[in-house]
Amino acid sequence: MKALGFGKFSLLGWSDGGITALIAAAKNPHLISKMVVWGSNAFVSQQDLKLYNAVRDVSKWSARMRQPMEEVYGAQIFAKTWEAWVDGIAQFAKRPEGSICLELLPLISCPTLIIHGEKDPMVPSFHPQCLLKHIKGSRLHLMPEGKHNLHLRYADEFNRLVEDFLGH
């Protein structure tokens, strides 16, 4: 963003992209105006490891969930990449408190909107609660029917929330 000439900007991050946004906002508070994260976590718990291992084998996924990724990456590459992701994210569980960026959350000073789908199978509700607790002045919006891809499934509501938050 600096190379593009932006002095200040807002961040939106989903899932691992949300983790990236959290880290960027903590390390560059003077650059970030506002931030929206969804489907994101700052640590990996033993419960998370069980969830990740349960979806490790993509051949057991429904065709609806698997097909878009296989179309982009090819079936074999997607399967190998996903297994590598599970192996990679699991490494954080070995760190104190399973931290990915837990210790950085208090450094975030920009207004932050956390959106969470209450039916998210990948990110249990204790994760957005943790973000809310540790990011000063953050707020949480729960979507009762939302899952991990709530920005796609409920695009109109999601876009309205984000536009209202960024516009004020």
Side-chain angles (χ1 to χ4, degrees):
M1 294 301 278
K2 284 182 190 176
L4 293 172
F6 289 93
K8 251 183 124 87
F9 49 91
S10 293
L11 296 172
L12 280 80
W14 171 46
S15 198
D16 289 350
I19 296 169
T20 302
L22 294 168
I23 294 167
K27 292 189 173 203
N28 303 280
H30 57 289
L31 297 176
I32 312 303
S33 301
K34 292 183 178 183
M35 177 171 55
V36 180
V37 294
W38 65 105
S40 302
N41 51 308
F43 65 93
V44 175
S45 70
Q46 292 303 308
Q47 182 179 342
D48 295 318
L49 289 180
K50 288 178 188 161
L51 293 172
Y52 302 152
N53 284 317
V55 296
R56 177 186 196 83
D57 183 353
V58 298
S59 71
K60 295 177 182 171
W61 292 18
S62 71
R64 184 180 62 82
M65 292 301 292
R66 195 177 60 242
Q67 201 169 4
M69 301 303 266
E70 288 178 345
E71 286 174 8
V72 172
Y73 302 105
Q76 284 186 319
I77 292 174
F78 172 57
K80 285 181 183 175
T81 302
W82 183 257
E83 282 186 20
W85 179 85
V86 171
D87 291 342
I89 196 81
Q91 296 304 306
F92 287 103
K94 297 174 183 174
R95 295 184 69 198
E97 299 178 309
S99 179
I100 298 171
C101 61
L102 197 53
E103 65 285 353
L104 296 177
L105 299 181
L107 303 176
I108 297 171
S109 57
C110 64
T112 301
L113 174 61
I114 304 153
I115 305 173
H116 185 68
E118 292 188 79
K119 294 184 178 179
D120 189 330
M122 293 293 292
V123 182
S125 62
F126 54 81
H127 285 296
Q129 293 298 333
C130 173
L131 298 178
L132 181 66
K133 178 180 176 184
H134 293 287
I135 301 172
K136 293 181 288 281
S138 61
R139 64 182 191 200
L140 173 61
H141 180 87
L142 297 174
M143 295 178 74
E145 297 301 314
K147 293 185 181 176
H148 197 61
N149 66 347
L150 55 81
H151 62 294
L152 302 173
R153 179 82 168 76
Y154 300 100
D156 291 342
E157 180 182 356
F158 176 85
N159 290 339
R160 195 167 33 256
L161 278 168
V162 171
E163 287 173 12
D164 286 350
F165 178 72
L166 294 178
H168 291 100

